Structure formats: C-alpha cells, structure tokens
Amino acid sequence: MPLLQVENLQVTFTVDKKPVPVVRDLSYTLPAGKVLAVVGESGSGKTIHALSLLGLLPPGASVRRGDAVFQRKHLLALNENQLRTVRGQQIAMIFQDPAASLNPVLTVGEQLVETLRAHRSLSKKEAWKEAITLLEKVGIAQAEKRVHEYPFQFSGGMCQRVMIAMALALSPDILIADEPTTALDVTIQAQIIRLIKELQQHSQMSVIFITHNLALASQVADTVLVLYGGLCMESAPADELFLRPLHPYTQGLLESLASVQTRPERLPAIAGQPPVAGEILLGCPFAPRCAYATDKCRQELPPLTKNGAHEVRCWREVVK
Ligand SMILES: Nc1ncnc2c1ncn2[C@@H]1O[C@H](COP(=O)(O)OP(=O)(O)O)[C@@H](O)[C@H]1O
Ligand SMILES: [Mg+2]
C-alpha cells in the first residue's frame, strides 16, 4: 500500500460566487521512502494542492471532490483536531520563504524547543539538546552557539536549514517542500537540495518536492508529475520522463532546461503564457501554446492515458 494516495482531487476558489477549479482531478500515489516531484509553472496549482492535503487552504478555496488516504486516514475528511496531529508530526511542510515562516522575536532554539515539547514529552534540557542535534543534522556549524541566535542572524540558506530542522523535529513520514530553494542563490540551492535528499535517504521519509524547475526535480525525484492549469499532464518515473517525455509541454520544459537554470522565471522554448485559473475549462489547457493543437484539443479535454507507470494527457497519445 502506498504511504499517500491522492484520488481525483478537485480544489476550487470561489470567485464572483462561481467556483473556479485550480486543481482538477489530480491523482497520484507516493510510496514510502520515495520522492515525488510536482513540477509546474507559477499558478499551476502546486501549492494549493499541498495545502488542501493539510487542511490549510486559504479562505475562498475548498476541496470539491476527491480523497487523500494517508496511513488509512482520509485526510480531506479530518477535523481540525485530527489535522493538527497530522501536520508536523506526520506530514511536515516547508515553504519558499523561510524567513517568513520563522518567528522573528524568538531564537531558533526557542522555536525548535517549543515544537519539540508541544509534541514529545521531553524535559527542557532534553529538548535543547535535541534542538542542537537537529541544527547539526542540517549542517549548521557551531550549533551550540547558533541555537541562541535570532532568525535575522541567519542567511536565507541557513534559515531554510533551520526550517528543515523544524520540519524534521518530529520525524515526519512525509516532507512537503514547496519551492524550498526558490528564494536562494544557485549554489545555496544545490546545497539545500542535497541536504533534503540526504536526510530523505537517511530517514527513509517520503518527500513531495514542489518546484517550477524541472532541472531541480531531476536531481531528487523518483517520480515526476507535471501540472498545468491544475491538471496532471504527464507523470512517470523520473528517468523515463527525461528520456521519453510524451507531452509537448514536458518536451518544451526539457528543451528550456538550460535557460531555465539561468532565468528560472522564463520558459523560452514555450511561447505564450500559462492559463489563468478558470480560463480554459473546455479543451486541453495547453492547446493555445501547443504546436500540435487541433480543433479537438481546443474543444475536448484529453483523458489521462496510462502505459505502465507512464501517464500522459494528450490526444496525440490517445490516437496512437
Ligand atoms: N487567494 C486566491 N484567490 C483566488 N484564486 C487564487 C488564490 N490563490 C491562488 N489562486 C489561484 O489558484 C491557482 C493555483 O495557485 P497555486 O497553487 O498557488 O499555484 P503554484 O503554487 O503552482 O504557483 C492560481 O492560478 C491562482 O489563480
Ligand atoms: Mg506555489
């Protein structure tokens, strides 16, 4: 049984009293000890999908359909109390902007200790010791001294290490890392990615790695899922996806890789803009940017077709 199984997840925002879908019919499985990369341009629904699993959707957003089964628990049906147990302890999440997630008026040690003691029966002394061990584990030098420092005394990369330490404090089964390195420069980015991968392998936790950067995904993922306009366009084991991308969008992303690394916000190989939520609901959302689009593509949403572990949503693959 997979550790997490998401089925037909549909999340909508209510805009002008009308539901606008931002995650559409999303299904995937996350096995224990594996890394799933969810890749997509800004606005494709990556964050909203993750927040929905933890019951953290912003006002106006709601889960309309679907199921997410984690260790026999149906996440989307849990109440706030039950969700609190899941969050942090079983599924931890780290975000793009680590500085914003830390409390500026508490030392990093105080924050770690607070988290540890809220969930584990540790004495103050034990919790401080554990806080130092956690900082060491995420590669912070002089942890005994730095545990008494405030977030502003840490660089962006170091703040993200602290956030990872916080996330790991309760040994979660799943770490959701939402663009964890986007705010960091390229060298630091690589270090953080390596750290997450090392910790993941060492503790055998599962990771949902959310990124707009297919190159980063390729460094960590066992499986890659490509989101576009809230829909899964393609998903496959990482090697397979990079070797044999089937969807024109994935092919475009791969062609852009070299330039994506230097200009992460641009996808020069794919002309045009990603869809605005709710704009394209009829046909394939990628059709306006697709070199192969036909009338059928513009009118009818292609189904997700499976060939073993490789799934793709494209009429060209259905016809074959
Ligand atoms: N507060 C909001 N109100 C209305 N729509 C929103 C809000 N937040 C996000 N959305 C919509 O949800 C879509 C998915 O957002 P998000 O999951 O944050 O994208 P990603 O993380 O892939 O960049 C966006 O296209 C956006 O239009
Ligand atoms: Mg996001």
Side-chain angles (χ1 to χ4, degrees), residues 42-43 45-48 96 178-179 210:
S42 177
K46 305 182 299 292
T47 298
I48 293 294
Q96 177 174 335
D178 187 357
E179 311 246 19
I210 294 176

Side-chain angles (χ1 to χ4, degrees), residues 58-73:
S62 56
V63 173
R64 285 302 168 111
R65 235 196 348 260
D67 198 0
V69 187
F70 164 73
Q71 294 181 343
R72 292 198 180 77
K73 284 190 275 279

Side-chain angles (χ1 to χ4, degrees), residues 83-213:
L83 280 168
R84 244 193 302 261
T85 315
V86 170
R87 278 182 223 136
Q89 241 167 312
Q90 292 163 334
I91 306 179
M93 188 160 171
I94 55 172
F95 298 90
Q96 177 174 335
D97 185 359
S101 313
L102 287 164
N103 186 335
V105 301
L106 297 177
T107 66
V108 302
E110 285 165 339
Q111 295 179 61
L112 279 165
V113 165
E114 192 176 77
T115 304
L116 286 164
R117 297 194 73 206
H119 297 278
R120 286 165 55 182
S121 50
L122 295 176
S123 71
K124 270 197 176 156
K125 202 174 154 192
E126 288 166 336
W128 277 98
K129 208 172 143 218
E130 178 69 16
I132 293 165
T133 308
L134 282 164
L135 290 184
E136 282 167 350
K137 206 166 157 183
V138 296
I140 293 182
Q142 295 185 282
E144 275 184 44
K145 175 175 151 262
R146 302 219 70 187
V147 75
H148 300 293
E149 292 181 358
Y150 290 88
F152 76 86
Q153 293 170 286
F154 287 74
S155 65
M158 285 297 155
C159 271
Q160 195 56 286
R161 285 176 193 263
V162 172
M163 284 314 299
I164 295 169
M166 300 268 272
L168 296 178
L170 307 170
S171 312
D173 302 292
I174 300 176
L175 174 69
I176 303 179
D178 187 357
E179 311 246 19
T181 63
T182 302
L184 309 172
D185 68 50
V186 176
T187 351
I188 309 294
Q189 232 179 47
Q191 291 170 8
I192 297 289
I193 298 291
R194 221 172 305 131
L195 173 67
I196 292 176
K197 187 75 190 166
E198 270 166 30
L199 294 167
Q200 180 266 331
Q201 284 172 334
H202 187 252
S203 63
Q204 277 301 298
M205 70 182 169
S206 300
V207 173
I208 299 177
F209 186 80
I210 294 176
T211 181
H212 61 260
N213 187 332

Side-chain angles (χ1 to χ4, degrees), residues 13 15 22 41-49 58-59 277:
F13 269 99
V15 180
V22 293
E41 284 168 276
S42 177
S44 56
K46 305 182 299 292
T47 298
I48 293 294
H49 127 266

Side-chain angles (χ1 to χ4, degrees), residues 290-308:
C290 184
Y292 309 99
T294 63
D295 283 343
K296 189 183 176 107
C297 303
R298 286 181 275 271
Q299 281 149 21
E300 237 182 292
L301 180 65
L304 202 55
T305 48
K306 269 183 209 207
N307 187 350

